[in-house]
Amino acid sequence: IGLQMSYLFGSLSQTETLGYNTSSPITSTRDIYLNKMFLKGGFQYRVKLNKQIDFAVGATASRKTKLDAQYVLNVSEGNSPIVTDKTIQTTYFNLPLMYSFGGALIFNKKLTVSADYQKQNWNDINYSGLNYRLVNSNRLSGGVEYSKKVFLSNGMMVEKWFLQGGAYYSNSYLMVRGTQLDQKGFTLGAGFTPLRSPQLALQANLEFGRRGTTNNNLIKENYTQATISIFYRDFWLTKVKRYD
């Protein structure tokens, strides 16, 4: 059982200019400064079905979160200010209820087959603009991993190397001109742990996917993404205990 705490912060700036046969256009600028503590809870449970097969299940959830905001308006006509640093709103946006759950089967501690589902309830936010609105999104993903595990002299088990493959499909939280955007793709990955430095792990991933559509004059994007990761894992401020 665990709890993840994040602090979200950032700013947005929106500028509009209105001019019609005049040398002094009216310009309005809205600066929005956002911040909020964001909490996500989760659990994972693992059980041995028999000598060869383990089963693991887990889930995460985060509640609807209202972002605190300082919403400041400035309006000017040419070089003459009309409104200066006026706070017009103290809340700006909500993050929806989000949850996910998944499971995995592990065969002989080598082959792992897993699946995961995620949902975000953006309909509850009731947010929309010109030709777009936010709607509920779903993501379904699955994957397989084969790994070679070894035991070191101190009893620690590490993945000497592993190979991964997966696929996913999601419909975005964004609906434009009555069309909900979607995304699909597959991934390949490989990594290893240097036995002389088992705290380190290196991993490389390739992702091939497509998002969007050309329906209703929208845009479709085909993309490839490469990622290289370096992990360091260790126990700090803890005395090692050995049991015979």
Side-chain angles (χ1 to χ4, degrees):
I1 298 175
L3 179 66
Q4 176 183 335
M5 295 184 293
S6 306
Y7 185 71
L8 308 178
F9 64 94
S11 62
L12 301 171
S13 183
Q14 301 173 336
T15 301
E16 296 180 357
T17 301
L18 177 63
Y20 182 75
N21 293 333
T22 176
S23 59
S24 299
I26 297 176
T27 302
S28 62
T29 301
R30 293 178 292 277
D31 295 313
I32 309 162
Y33 305 95
L34 305 166
N35 66 90
K36 190 69 174 182
M37 184 69 72
F38 181 73
L39 301 177
K40 178 189 290 187
F43 79 92
Q44 188 178 76
Y45 179 73
R46 181 165 173 163
V47 62
K48 182 177 288 295
L49 300 181
N50 54 47
K51 292 183 178 180
Q52 288 78 34
I53 303 176
D54 294 314
F55 176 68
V57 63
T60 66
S62 59
R63 64 184 180 87
K64 185 176 179 180
T65 303
K66 180 179 292 186
L67 298 182
D68 296 330
Q70 182 182 5
Y71 197 115
V72 179
L73 175 66
N74 288 276
V75 181
S76 63
E77 183 176 0
N79 295 323
S80 303
I82 300 175
V83 178
T84 303
D85 293 338
K86 181 180 180 181
T87 300
I88 60 175
Q89 192 171 344
T90 56
T91 59
Y92 175 72
F93 196 74
N94 291 328
L95 296 178
L97 169 69
M98 294 180 278
Y99 60 88
S100 65
F101 57 87
L105 288 170
I106 303 98
F107 301 90
N108 294 319
K109 301 188 186 311
K110 294 181 179 180
L111 180 65
T112 302
V113 180
S114 61
D116 184 80
Y117 173 76
Q118 181 185 84
K119 185 176 181 62
Q120 299 180 351
N121 291 335
W122 290 95
N123 276 346
D124 295 341
I125 303 301
N126 195 26
Y127 186 88
S128 63
L130 182 63
N131 291 327
Y132 77 90
R133 64 187 179 92
L134 302 187
V135 294
N136 289 347
S137 67
N138 303 272
R139 177 185 171 96
L140 182 64
S141 56
V144 59
E145 177 191 82
Y146 184 83
S147 63
K148 173 66 175 179
K149 298 180 176 66
V150 296
F151 288 89
L152 304 181
S153 58
N154 60 4
M156 178 181 179
M157 185 180 70
V158 298
E159 289 183 321
K160 185 177 180 180
W161 55 265
F162 59 86
L163 300 173
Q164 299 172 331
Y168 61 89
Y169 173 80
S170 66
N171 49 7
S172 167
Y173 58 84
L174 190 61
M175 178 175 286
V176 182
R177 298 174 184 170
T179 301
Q180 187 172 6
L181 305 182
D182 65 355
Q183 182 175 358
K184 63 182 68 174
F186 65 93
T187 60
L188 299 172
F192 73 97
T193 299
L195 296 184
R196 292 183 178 181
S197 303
Q199 296 87 357
L200 292 175
L202 306 177
Q203 182 174 347
N205 297 305
L206 278 176
E207 180 180 354
F208 307 90
R210 190 214 72 189
R211 64 168 63 95
T213 178
T214 56
N215 295 336
N216 295 326
N217 294 320
L218 300 177
I219 296 174
K220 181 174 71 173
E221 176 187 18
N222 298 313
Y223 62 89
T224 302
Q225 179 173 287
T227 305
I228 296 177
S229 304
I230 301 176
F231 301 93
Y232 180 81
R233 300 166 291 186
D234 201 356
F235 292 102
W236 289 4
L237 305 177
T238 301
K239 293 182 178 180
V240 176
K241 295 183 179 181
R242 298 182 182 274
Y243 299 91
D244 296 329

